[in-house]
Amino acid sequence: LAQERCLRLCTHDQRPPAMKVINSQEFVKIPKGVEVEVSGRVVKVTGKYGTLERNFRHLPVVIEKYGKKQTVLKVEIWFGLSKHLACMRTVCSHIENMFTGVMKKFEYKQRLVYSHFPINVNILNGGKTVEIRNYLGEKCVRTVMMYPGVTCRKSEQTKDELIIEGVDIDNTSMSAAKIHQSCLCKKKDIRKFLDGIYECESGTVDKD
């Protein structure tokens, strides 16, 4: 009985081996006016608004230029599982965001929302530092530092609007998130206390 029970447990725990795909490829077209350098798994992109560099050495992918005119980037994986194939599509999305950043520049717009106490914002250090005062009448000064390559400025057309611009989508979005999180209303009913800085629009500086 003991041997039969062990055999049942062994057969029950056995799982079919994961299926590996021999070769998978994804292609990303290089836009005009963008220069791309690939060294190993480090991709460097240069365009109208600057240069971005990203390291993909933590992923088992092969990145190289493809085609006669070298106008396409090929991302390739050999003997990859389903998780590896998902990483390959992620690499392509990161590279496409790099192209968009150096060509059009990312832009996030935020609005100052208040009911009684007006929120005062001072932009210092060439747009790299944001000081927030008088939030809910508080005397403390909230200081937010922008990530590298990101600047903040006040909108000239709209009152109480901030514009955050940057080439790197990660740094730009995280800078906007830092400003929003610095003005969170805590220990109060958020249905009543709606004061804060909220994102109203996101996109690129150069519109299509």
Side-chain angles (χ1 to χ4, degrees):
L1 293 174
Q3 291 180 352
E4 290 180 1
R5 187 177 180 184
C6 291
L7 287 172
R8 288 175 184 174
L9 290 174
C10 292
T11 54
H12 180 71
D13 291 339
Q14 285 180 355
R15 297 178 180 178
M19 191 72 178
K20 290 187 176 182
V21 180
I22 296 176
N23 180 256
S24 299
Q25 298 176 350
E26 288 279 352
F27 298 93
V28 181
K29 188 176 180 181
I30 301 174
K32 292 183 179 179
V34 175
E35 296 180 1
V36 179
E37 298 178 13
V38 181
S39 177
R41 281 173 280 182
V42 179
V43 180
K44 186 176 181 181
V45 178
T46 305
K48 175 183 175 182
Y49 287 105
T51 303
L52 287 176
E53 184 174 328
R54 189 148 192 155
N55 192 335
F56 297 103
R57 286 177 178 167
H58 60 286
L59 297 173
V61 297
V62 179
I63 305 173
E64 59 185 3
K65 289 185 178 181
Y66 183 76
K68 294 182 179 180
K69 297 183 179 180
Q70 303 286 296
T71 57
V72 177
L73 272 182
K74 181 174 74 171
V75 182
E76 189 175 23
I77 284 183
W78 290 87
F79 301 103
L81 298 172
S82 59
K83 289 185 178 180
H84 299 147
L85 302 182
C87 293
M88 181 176 62
R89 184 59 240 172
T90 302
V91 171
C92 294
S93 298
H94 282 311
I95 295 174
E96 289 172 353
N97 286 333
M98 292 168 68
F99 291 159
T100 305
V102 298
M103 287 178 60
K104 300 180 181 179
K105 204 173 192 179
F106 291 101
E107 178 184 66
Y108 285 77
K109 293 183 180 180
Q110 293 182 320
R111 296 293 298 271
L112 311 181
V113 179
Y114 52 85
S115 59
H116 185 270
F117 297 100
I119 302 174
N120 300 324
V121 174
N122 296 328
I123 299 175
L124 309 173
N125 197 15
K128 297 181 180 179
T129 306
V130 179
E131 285 186 354
I132 303 167
R133 302 173 185 268
N134 201 38
Y135 173 69
L136 291 178
E138 297 177 0
K139 298 298 182 183
C140 67
V141 179
R142 293 169 167 81
T143 303
V144 181
M145 304 293 295
M146 298 291 100
Y147 282 92
V150 181
T151 58
C152 179
R153 61 183 176 87
K154 292 183 179 180
S155 175
E156 298 177 356
Q157 289 84 13
T158 309
K159 181 187 175 184
D160 294 334
E161 185 177 67
L162 299 178
I163 299 176
I164 299 98
E165 296 176 348
V167 178
D168 191 344
I169 188 173
D170 293 337
N171 289 351
T172 309
S173 60
M174 286 192 295
S175 298
K178 282 177 68 176
I179 295 175
H180 167 68
Q181 291 175 353
S182 67
C183 292
L184 292 179
C185 189
K186 299 178 181 178
K187 298 184 179 179
K188 291 184 176 66
D189 189 355
I190 59 174
R191 295 172 296 179
K192 176 67 176 177
F193 295 87
L194 299 173
D195 294 23
I197 302 177
Y198 298 95
E199 180 184 336
C200 62
E201 186 181 345
S202 63
T204 56
V205 175
D206 295 349
K207 308 296 181 182
D208 291 336

